[in-house]
């Protein structure tokens, strides 16, 4: 299930032991990607590194969605919420550190006179940092258990998670004294005593994000290679057979959904200090759907696919928005349509030689004569 | 509570004695006892105070015209349909109507579905691995497979003749092979009672023959309940047959007896059919039953 790239023929011809070939086919691509990401800060400007650091948090987020969508077949359209919750938990810590024992500014403006009880624990890093995983995981676990116990699957599950994204973002906008409302939580000055905007701090955060990404990759790779991972794929293929094989699919799905939400939360926690703000716009429906686009474009059910998809789509997004400020969103739309219709296994599928699929409506007998003659490769 | 349950188990309904099945000298020979089971969907009664029982180590075939309630009976044994009234007692004490589906597997009930229900993107070996893992604690699913378990998988692959296919993706198997794989997934769990819904549907003659032999070898060590429409197959491999009609047991016994039962002939051929045809002559009973159901 781990991504296997076909090796170039030149490599295949070398007299290498076969196990080395196996190791290479599984690990070559991830190692190359990792090496490129390690070297990136040496080659890019501070601005680009900051951007790439943000994309890496998106890559972790995309991997968390890929775990449940690509493998277990559960499409969550509410992963922005879990990302956001992790981001807010981190923001609460940073805000309290920056406030230096006083009330955070936005609370003061909203008329609060003392720190709300649920904010107080977040002044300690040893509580706040685990909470970036625990809070989203607990929400996903609770919601997931109710949903999966009622055997809600497929598109209905996607719709419920989408409703969650709407509800939570509205809730956060409405509770201005406690959440900062539409503006979110911003204006941090320090992290663990270091100036948060200094280039050195940002580089450290970049490498911390990269290390988290690598660890998440290893965790997912191990999980998917295990029997538990095969059970996830089995649930995607035939949930009923899993049930009639003596497992409780509701419990299994709840576990993996909570784990995925926790990972998304950690990604959010890394996003906040690098970008300097977390706001409800990160938790709404649109960003939640975007995550699914990254995974679909990169390649569902391939671990590396989510990383590649998140970095490329976001890279394209910022590149295109600089070059074509007026129409860049159309390019993204085309990319997604392409991923759905023409290369359903995503970029990783193309690289693995699964090639592209000609959509049914492009079949020769469905096309008018001139189109069939004009379009390359369409035989009558 | 336990006392009441125990009493109910030892008081076998009189109807069992009447149809001659399941009532031995002692009730510990009965693996499955369905008592006065009634199920209706939208006011239409599918099973009507059905009494049915099976002994340990017995292979039973369940036949009957369309709509007789065969699949519903299997559904209710595996917890898929909840009955309005009645009980299903399994293995000397558990009332199956109160159990969740995945718990039934732990009690020792395996079910094969009508269409092959396997994990298409896993290999044949991994399919069995998943099926075998249900007894493990969830934590042990993160570790490797034990050699004892892998031996068990290979032995099962041998049994269902899929050893050569072990590392192939299950989705690429032929229809017949998928059916065998599903049977293998049940066998690897070592159930006490196997329920099979039309195991030979859509199979070629050779595949049917092979499946029949497989069923016989399975049936020599455990209880098997087979729902089947293919009369030729039933005649060839069945010892005891139960005929279901309109949610009740119409007839029970060996194939010879059942075929000659005028009630059965009437049920299968529908109203107004000529009386001199027997079930034996009608290899596709489904076509003739529309009027009767």
């Amino acid at each position: 299930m781990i991504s296997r790239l076909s090796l170039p023929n030149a490599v295949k011809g070398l007299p290498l032991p076969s196990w080395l070939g196996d190791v290479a086919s599984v690990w070559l691509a991830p190692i190359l990607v990792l090496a490129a990401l390690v070297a990136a800060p040496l080659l890019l400007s501070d601005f680009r590194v900051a951007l790439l650091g943000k994309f890496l948090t998106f890559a972790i987020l995309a991997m968390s969605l890929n775990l449940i969508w690509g493998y277990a077949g559960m499409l969550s359209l509410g992963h922005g919420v879990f990302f956001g919750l992790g981001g807010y938990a981190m923001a609460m810590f940073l805000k309290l550190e920056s406030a230096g024992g006083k009330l955070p500014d936005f609370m003061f403006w909203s008329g609060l006179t003392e720190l709300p009880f649920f904010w107080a624990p977040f002044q300690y890093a040893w509580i706040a940092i685990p909470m970036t995983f625990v809070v989203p995981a607990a929400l996903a676990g609770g919601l997931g258990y109710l949903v999966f116990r009622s055997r809600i699957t497929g598109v209905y599950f996607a719709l419920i998670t989408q409703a969650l994204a709407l509800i939570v973002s509205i809730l956060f906008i409405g509770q201005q004294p406690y959440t900062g409302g539409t503006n979110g939580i911003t204006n941090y000055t320090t992290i663990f005593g270091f100036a948060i905007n200094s280039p050195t701090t940002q580089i450290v955060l970049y490498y911390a994000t990269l290390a988290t990404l690598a660890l998440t990759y290893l965790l997912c790779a191990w999980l998917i290679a295990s029997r538990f991972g095969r059970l996830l794929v089995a649930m995607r293929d035939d949930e009923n057979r899993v049930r009639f094989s003596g497992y409780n699919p509701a419990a299994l799905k709840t576990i993996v959904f909570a784990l995925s939400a926790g990972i998304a939360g950690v990604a959010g926690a890394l996003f906040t200090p690098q970008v300097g703000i977390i706001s409800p716009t990160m938790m709404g429906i649109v960003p939640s759907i975007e995550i699914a686009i990254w995974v679909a474009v990169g390649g569902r059910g391939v671990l590396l696919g989510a990383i590649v998809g998140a970095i490329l789509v976001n890279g394209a997004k910022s590149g295109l928005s600089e070059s074509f400020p007026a129409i860049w969103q159309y390019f993204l739309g085309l990319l997604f349509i392409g991923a759905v219709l023409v290369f359903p296994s995503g970029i990783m599928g193309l690289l693995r030689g699964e090639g592209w699929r000609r959509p049914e409506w492009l079949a020769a007998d469905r096309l008018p004569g001139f189109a069939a003659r004009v379009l390359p490769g369409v035989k009558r | 509570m336990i006392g009441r349950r125990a009493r109910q188990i030892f008081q076998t309904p009189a109807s069992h004695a009447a149809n001659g099945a399941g009532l031995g000298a002692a009730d510990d020979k009965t693996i499955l006892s369905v008592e006065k089971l009634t199920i209706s969907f939208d006011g239409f009664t599918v099973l009507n105070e059905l009494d049915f029982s099976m002994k340990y180590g017995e292979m039973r075939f369940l036949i009957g015209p369309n709509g007789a309630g065969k699949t519903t009976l299997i559904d209710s044994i595996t917890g898929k349909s909840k009955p309005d009234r009645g009980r299903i007692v399994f293995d000397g004490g558990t009332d199956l109507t109160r159990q969740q589906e995945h718990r039934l597997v732990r009690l020792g009930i395996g079910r094969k579905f009508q269409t092959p229900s396997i994990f298409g993107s896993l290999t044949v070996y991994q399919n069995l691995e998943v099926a075998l893992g249900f007894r493990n604690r969830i934590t042990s699913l993160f570790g490797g497979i034990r050699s004892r378990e892998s031996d068990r998988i290979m032995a099962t692959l041998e049994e269902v003749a899929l050893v050569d296919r072990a590392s192939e993706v299950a989705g690429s198997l032929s229809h017949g092979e998928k059916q065998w794989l599903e049977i293998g997934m049940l066998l690897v769990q070592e159930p006490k009672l196997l329920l099979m819904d039309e195991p030979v549907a859509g199979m070629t003659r050779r595949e049917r023959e092979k499946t029949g032999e497989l069923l016989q070898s399975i049936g020599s060590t455990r209880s098997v309940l087979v729902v089947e429409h293919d009369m030729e197959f039933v005649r060839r491999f069945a010892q005891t047959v139960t005929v279901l009609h309109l949610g009740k047991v119409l007839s029970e016994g060996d194939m010879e007896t059942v075929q000659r039962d005028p009630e059965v002939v009437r049920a299968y051929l529908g109203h107004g059919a000529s009386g001199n045809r027997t079930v034996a002559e009608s290899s596709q009973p489904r076509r003739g039953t529309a009027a009767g159901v």
Side-chain angles (χ1 to χ4, degrees), chain B residues 135-196:
Chain B
R135 265 185 241 276
N136 295 12
R137 299 176 63 86
I138 198 144
T139 44
S140 75
L141 290 177
F142 297 106
I145 188 163
R146 286 186 287 272
S147 69
R148 190 166 43 84
E149 293 177 306
S150 137
D151 291 348
R152 174 98 198 91
I153 291 175
M154 289 319 284
T156 307
L157 283 175
E158 198 93 45
E159 215 175 333
V160 296
L162 288 173
V163 178
D164 306 342
R165 302 294 187 112
S167 56
E168 272 177 51
V169 174
S172 69
L173 296 180
S174 74
H175 176 77
E177 287 167 331
K178 282 181 186 163
Q179 301 277 40
W180 294 329
L181 173 58
E182 193 180 353
I183 294 174
M185 287 163 75
L186 302 181
L187 290 180
V188 83
Q189 301 188 319
E190 302 186 310
K192 294 175 186 154
L193 171 66
L194 264 157
L195 308 165
M196 308 233 186

Side-chain angles (χ1 to χ4, degrees), chain A residues 302-355:
Chain A
V302 185
L303 277 181
L304 203 56
I307 301 175
V308 170
I311 295 177
L312 284 187
V313 173
N314 282 291
K317 197 168 148 182
S318 65
L320 290 168
S321 63
E322 284 165 25
S323 315
F324 309 96
I327 56 164
W328 62 274
Q329 282 172 320
Y330 290 101
F331 290 102
L332 282 189
L334 283 174
L335 193 60
F336 187 51
I337 292 171
V340 171
L341 291 177
V342 186
F343 50 106
S345 352
I347 293 169
M348 292 311 289
L350 289 178
L351 287 179
R352 284 200 293 184
E354 280 162 32

Side-chain angles (χ1 to χ4, degrees), chain B residues 45-291:
Chain B
T45 308
V46 183
L47 295 182
N48 188 5
E49 304 227 321
L50 177 76
D51 287 314
F52 172 82
S53 76
M54 274 178 72
K55 288 183 226 142
Y56 281 99
E58 183 185 355
M59 177 152 85
R60 180 78 66 88
F61 276 70
L62 198 58
I63 63 172
N66 263 357
K70 305 181 296 292
T71 300
T72 308
L73 176 58
I74 292 212
D75 278 350
S76 59
I77 295 171
T78 52
K80 248 188 126 185
S81 306
K82 295 287 169 205
D84 304 337
R85 285 189 301 282
R87 299 194 316 150
I88 304 171
V89 180
F90 175 70
D91 199 19
T94 323
D95 185 355
L96 298 183
T97 58
R98 289 155 200 267
Q99 298 288 327
Q100 283 178 288
E101 283 125 309
H102 67 273
R103 300 223 177 266
L104 295 168
V105 180
R106 288 160 194 266
L107 292 175
I109 297 175
R111 175 180 184 172
K112 206 210 141 309
F113 288 91
Q114 209 163 329
T115 48
S117 157
I118 53 161
F119 310 126
S121 40
L122 297 180
T123 67
V124 169
Y125 182 92
Q126 287 170 341
N127 265 272
L128 293 184
E129 203 184 50
V130 168
L132 184 62
F134 77 105
R135 265 185 241 276
N136 295 12
R137 299 176 63 86
I138 198 144
T139 44
S140 75
L141 290 177
F142 297 106
I145 188 163
R146 286 186 287 272
S147 69
R148 190 166 43 84
E149 293 177 306
S150 137
D151 291 348
R152 174 98 198 91
I153 291 175
M154 289 319 284
T156 307
L157 283 175
E158 198 93 45
E159 215 175 333
V160 296
L162 288 173
V163 178
D164 306 342
R165 302 294 187 112
S167 56
E168 272 177 51
V169 174
S172 69
L173 296 180
S174 74
H175 176 77
E177 287 167 331
K178 282 181 186 163
Q179 301 277 40
W180 294 329
L181 173 58
E182 193 180 353
I183 294 174
M185 287 163 75
L186 302 181
L187 290 180
V188 83
Q189 301 188 319
E190 302 186 310
K192 294 175 186 154
L193 171 66
L194 264 157
L195 308 165
M196 308 233 186
D197 203 348
E198 297 197 42
V200 296
M203 281 190 177
T204 64
R205 182 176 285 272
R206 260 203 69 228
E207 287 173 332
R208 273 192 305 223
E209 195 68 16
K210 230 168 133 181
T211 309
E213 282 157 20
L214 179 61
L215 286 186
Q216 278 186 329
S217 97
I218 297 167
S220 62
T221 51
R222 48 191 116 229
S223 316
V224 186
L225 177 61
V226 186
V227 168
E228 194 48 73
H229 271 307
D230 185 331
M231 283 304 141
E232 214 182 298
F233 183 79
V234 176
R235 259 196 306 284
R236 174 93 168 72
F237 292 101
Q239 283 115 39
T240 319
V241 177
T242 298
V243 186
L244 234 53
H245 183 48
L246 299 175
K248 274 183 176 278
V249 172
L250 188 69
S251 177
E252 202 162 69
D254 60 42
M255 194 60 188
E256 273 299 275
T257 321
V258 162
Q259 263 172 228
R260 293 216 189 88
D261 190 327
E263 295 268 341
V264 175
V265 175
R266 224 184 344 265
Y268 260 86
L269 298 181
H271 303 298
S274 60
N276 55 8
R277 273 182 80 194
T278 65
V279 181
E281 287 152 25
S282 149
S283 64
Q284 281 293 328
R286 265 172 287 188
R287 285 181 197 148
T289 53

